[in-house]
Amino acid sequence: MSEPLLQVDGITKRFGGLTAVDDVGFSLEPGTITALIGPNGAGKSTLFHCVSGFIRPDGGTVRFNGRGVSRRSAHGRAQLGMVRTFQIPTAFNRLTVFENVELAARDQPADRLVGALVPGLGRLRRSAIRTRTNDLLETFGLADKADDLAGELSGGQRKLLEFARVLMTEPQLLLLDEPLAGVNPALGERLFAHVNRLRSDHGMTFLFVEHDIRTVMDHSDRVLVMAQGALIADGDPETVRRDPAVVEAYLGGGE
Ligand SMILES: Nc1ncnc2c1ncn2[C@@H]1O[C@H](COP(=O)(O)OP(=O)(O)OP(=O)(O)O)[C@@H](O)[C@H]1O
Ligand SMILES: [Mg+2]
């Protein structure tokens, strides 16, 4: 087996007396699409925060591409190719939709280097970025909103914008926190078709949080289940769906 792209061990995060994430470990193989499910409050977003570096866990380690990243900032992890989206999107409201996506490409190490060394190449790269921005806006049904301010988008459109922004950074691993919440089903299908293409064409790896079980069954190779901070199941979608512990977690969790 190849080396895992992501290796998470013993992640624990407490908020006062509450253990939101309780000794969670798992690994992701390159080129896979994994769903992370669990009742509300199970600790999914908190786990995402810990893995992506937005909060510091009380314990545990994260390795990405064979190197320890536990002490790196979220920004540092993103530069290595591990990027996440938020359950509540974080676009720049006072920039246009186009600018939001275009800007996301700016901070790439390759971009800074090319711009500094070869101005002509920098221009070429900028035009490639514009083309890519337009392609992504087209894919996510945002082309006719390109010149609108991001702050004027609907909730679902903001999700799509967030997705387009992270793809601009050409990550190896993408962590998506409820990418479809508020997005209409037809567009959701398009989004996952795009995810599949990125996996097959570029070997990209995905971990996504999703509440809709149909979406999970249709689009993931593997499902991780969290309940009350702990990982309680890990397997292929069919097996996990039939797992009594998973059924119990959902019934007991009040969803
Ligand atoms: N900053 C915080 N301070 C205190 N408690 C928090 C904080 N963030 C999360 N929690 C608590 O940690 C637990 C896990 O929350 P988390 O947001 O990770 O759940 P989730 O699985 O993402 O839920 P959902 O499906 O509703 O998004 C919850 O009980 C929540 O109230
Ligand atoms: Mg959440």
Side-chain angles (χ1 to χ4, degrees):
M1 218 150 143
S2 55
E3 177 170 13
L5 180 66
L6 180 75
Q7 176 80 46
V8 173
D9 283 300
I11 293 288
T12 296
K13 177 67 194 176
R14 294 182 203 92
F15 294 112
L18 173 86
T19 305
V21 177
D22 190 2
D23 192 21
V24 168
F26 64 93
S27 60
L28 297 179
E29 296 300 320
T32 53
I33 301 176
T34 305
L36 173 61
I37 67 170
N40 291 121
K44 306 178 298 294
S45 293
T46 306
L47 178 64
F48 264 35
H49 295 321
C50 294
V51 171
S52 58
F54 281 86
I55 59 177
R56 197 168 279 276
D58 296 299
T61 58
V62 180
R63 290 178 69 76
F64 180 64
N65 249 335
R67 78 210 268 184
V69 297
S70 304
R71 275 193 291 276
R72 276 179 188 260
S73 65
H75 186 66
R77 294 181 207 196
Q79 284 189 326
L80 291 177
M82 179 208 295
V83 179
R84 56 91 44 99
T85 64
F86 286 85
Q87 193 166 350
I88 300 163
T90 57
F92 298 108
N93 287 337
R94 296 158 77 110
L95 296 180
T96 67
V97 168
F98 185 92
E99 287 164 343
N100 261 283
V101 178
E102 186 190 32
L103 256 184
R106 287 284 168 77
D107 201 27
Q108 296 306 294
D111 210 46
R112 286 200 299 272
L113 196 68
V114 165
L117 295 180
V118 198
L121 268 185
R123 264 199 304 282
L124 260 183
R125 165 100 176 130
R126 275 195 297 284
S127 119
I129 287 174
R130 278 196 295 275
T131 306
R132 204 170 139 68
T133 300
N134 283 320
D135 286 350
L136 282 170
L137 292 180
E138 188 67 43
T139 301
F140 296 124
L142 291 171
D144 62 344
K145 298 278 176 194
D147 298 326
D148 292 8
L149 292 179
E152 294 165 1
L153 293 180
S154 74
Q157 288 167 335
R158 292 170 69 85
K159 285 271 155 149
L160 297 167
L161 174 61
E162 174 107 339
F163 194 59
R165 285 176 66 211
V166 293
L167 285 179
M168 261 330 254
T169 70
E170 302 182 342
Q172 266 181 287
L173 169 64
L174 192 43
L175 308 168
L176 300 164
D177 198 349
E178 301 197 26
L180 298 192
V183 173
N184 79 59
L187 214 44
E189 281 303 314
R190 241 161 85 185
L191 190 144
F192 266 99
H194 196 64
V195 162
N196 250 309
R197 255 197 321 277
L198 290 168
R199 178 256 287 273
S200 47
D201 295 354
H202 303 285
M204 263 176 76
T205 308
F206 295 87
L207 178 65
F208 69 100
V209 174
E210 174 57 50
H211 283 289
D212 178 52
I213 197 69
R214 193 69 260 153
T215 304
V216 170
M217 301 302 292
D218 287 350
H219 297 292
S220 62
D221 314 316
R222 174 186 172 202
V223 181
L224 301 172
V225 188
M226 280 182 84
Q228 297 177 6
L231 205 56
I232 61 160
D234 173 359
D236 66 83
E238 261 315 320
T239 311
V240 163
R241 191 163 70 156
R242 282 188 270 105
D243 186 330
V246 175
V247 175
E248 170 63 27
Y250 273 92
L251 294 178
E255 277 233 323

